[in-house]
Structure formats: structure tokens, C-alpha cells
Amino acid sequence: MSTTASPPSVADVVAELDRCYPPAWAEEWDRVGLVLGEPTDPVRRVYGTVDVVPETVAEALAAGADLIVAHHPLLLRGVSSVAPTTWKGRIVHDLIRAGVALYVAHTNADIAAPGVSDALAARFGLTGLRPLQPSAAGSAAAGGGRGIGRVGELPAPLTLAELTERAAAVLPATVWGVRAGGDPARIVRTLAVSGGSGDGFLAAATAAGADAFLTSDLRHHPAGEHLAAGGPALLDAAHWATERPWLDDVAAHLRAGFGVETVVSDLDTDPWTVHAAAPAMDDKEPRP
């Protein structure tokens, strides 16, 4: 991959993205790769987003993007129609009409090294990174430090309360913010992180010897049982916020390799848009 005087084609950029995030690394249920777009069309500007929704598509079109690189698939499940009377169908029609290609890297980017969780770990300055759950031996993605999540050491120990404040400061801002479970005074030296939904990896965080685990979409019962069993403290951030940092890495890589312009969306697509703290909690210490 090298910068040339003429703009790369959609096929050129897709080939490089497929090299970084091979589709064979994706889960069987996932739908990744080029979704739509003419392979021979030129790419001068790339737009990165976590979610392909009407608001981000409008932003991409206004920015004059030729290619959208998204994390979450637009068409994850089988469809029998992309009629413009549905919001997803309308997106497909609008992108084709505007000549904008769409590419998705999802679970293949989650396990890549570097990938989604490496970008998340970098926000905390973690060192000595290792996979939280390494890719299975014999799988297409085995080896190379690949796997779900990352575990590393903080630059300096923090209490859980301090780490929660740090997380709220270094992650993209959302109404959801960051909530934590565990003793606020617990000292955290080793932090596990996993971008996106992570309560399926609670046992892995315990096995990794982490003092705390930051992820998103934690559910009541699994989280409560994990903490009751003495597992690592938990930090629950908005799903969008834990995956947004990866887009900066993708953008930098494409700028350096192809000389294209890049726009990374900071449009918060987290579905939760209102938050109110319980008044009684203002005067209470968090429950240990």
C-alpha cells in the first residue's frame, strides 16, 4: 500500500481493509466486507462511523464521502427487500444514488491486533497488552496476539472511583457516561477492556487476573453474580463509546497509506439519550 498521485479505487481500499481485518476472522453469523459500491469508483474521502443510521449517512453525504467504513453491519440479518419505504432500504437507495460505497469490519476488527480493543486500551495508556480471550487454536485468526479484548497495566495504580472518573474523561462523551460496580477504594493496577458487549467475558477477566474489567452492555444478574463471587470490579460504558476510538486508527492508516481525506464521526449513536441521577444518591457513598 502506498500513496499515489491518482486516488485509490474502492477495490484498492477494500483490499487493504480486508488485509487488516480479514473477513475469515469474523464470526459465522457476522456480515462484513463490501456491502455496496462500485469497485472501480475513486475514493478521495473516507467517512468512519460505528453505526450506519440515517443521521450518520446524512453526515457522510454532507461531508462528500466516497466510502463509509462502519463497525456495525447495516444488513446483519437476511432481508427480502430493500424498499425505500424502510429506513435501511432508504439508506441503501441514498448511498447508491450518491455513488457512496459502504464497507463493514465488525467481529473481524474486534479480534484484530491492532483492533477495536487496542484502540480502547490506548485511551488508558495500558502497557504489556495481551488478549483477554485469545483466538482459538486452529482458527483462521489464531496467533499474533489476536483475540477478544485486551489486558494490560495502568501507568499508575488507581482506585476504582478514580478509574471510573478517568474512563469518563478519556472515552467519547455520552449521556450514559460510565458506571462501576465494586468497592470504590479497590486498587486497580491491571485492567481488562473489551469494546462492545462484554458480559460474556466476565470469567475471562477473572482468569486473566484483572483488577477491573471495562466493557459495555453489562446485565444485572451476570454482573451481580460476578461481583458476589469476588471477580474483578466492573466498569460499564456506552457501547458506542468503547468502539468509537478504533475509527481514529482506521482513519490514520488510510490517510498514511493512500493519502485520502478522512472524516471520523463524533455523532453519538448510543440509543440512550436522557440520564438523571437519583437525588438520594447525591448524598450517599456508593454501596461496596
Side-chain angles (χ1 to χ4, degrees), residues 17-59:
L17 290 169
D18 280 353
R19 186 190 68 81
C20 296
Y21 315 110
W25 292 356
E27 296 288 341
E28 290 185 4
W29 50 263
D30 206 1
R31 298 293 179 267
V32 300
L34 184 65
V35 179
L36 54 87
E38 289 290 346
T40 56
D41 281 354
V43 176
R44 296 178 176 84
R45 183 171 296 165
V46 177
Y47 172 91
T49 183
V50 173
D51 295 297
V52 184
V53 293
E55 294 82 1
T56 55
V57 169
E59 192 176 66

Side-chain angles (χ1 to χ4, degrees), residues 43-96:
V43 176
R44 296 178 176 84
R45 183 171 296 165
V46 177
Y47 172 91
T49 183
V50 173
D51 295 297
V52 184
V53 293
E55 294 82 1
T56 55
V57 169
E59 192 176 66
L61 295 179
D66 303 301
L67 169 66
I68 296 173
V69 176
H71 186 49
H72 292 151
L74 172 65
L75 303 173
L76 180 59
R77 296 173 179 83
V79 297
S80 59
S81 169
V82 287
T85 50
T86 66
W87 70 270
K88 289 188 178 184
R90 170 49 58 193
I91 284 174
V92 170
H93 281 256
D94 287 347
L95 292 180
I96 292 175

Side-chain angles (χ1 to χ4, degrees), residues 159-252:
T159 65
L160 176 59
E162 291 170 336
L163 179 60
T164 306
E165 293 292 335
R166 176 73 57 83
V170 302
L171 292 178
T174 61
V175 171
W176 178 273
V178 180
R179 59 183 182 178
D183 181 355
R186 178 172 182 165
I187 300 299
V188 179
R189 296 179 175 86
T190 302
L191 177 64
V193 300
S194 184
S197 301
D199 69 4
F201 308 108
L202 296 174
T206 300
D211 300 309
F213 177 35
L214 182 144
T215 187
S216 63
D217 300 342
L218 292 175
R219 294 172 295 160
H220 176 90
H221 292 295
E225 292 171 8
H226 165 88
L227 293 171
L234 299 175
L235 294 94
D236 188 19
H239 191 124
W240 173 83
T242 63
E243 295 175 333
R244 162 62 182 80
W246 168 72
L247 295 171
D248 291 328
D249 291 354
V250 175

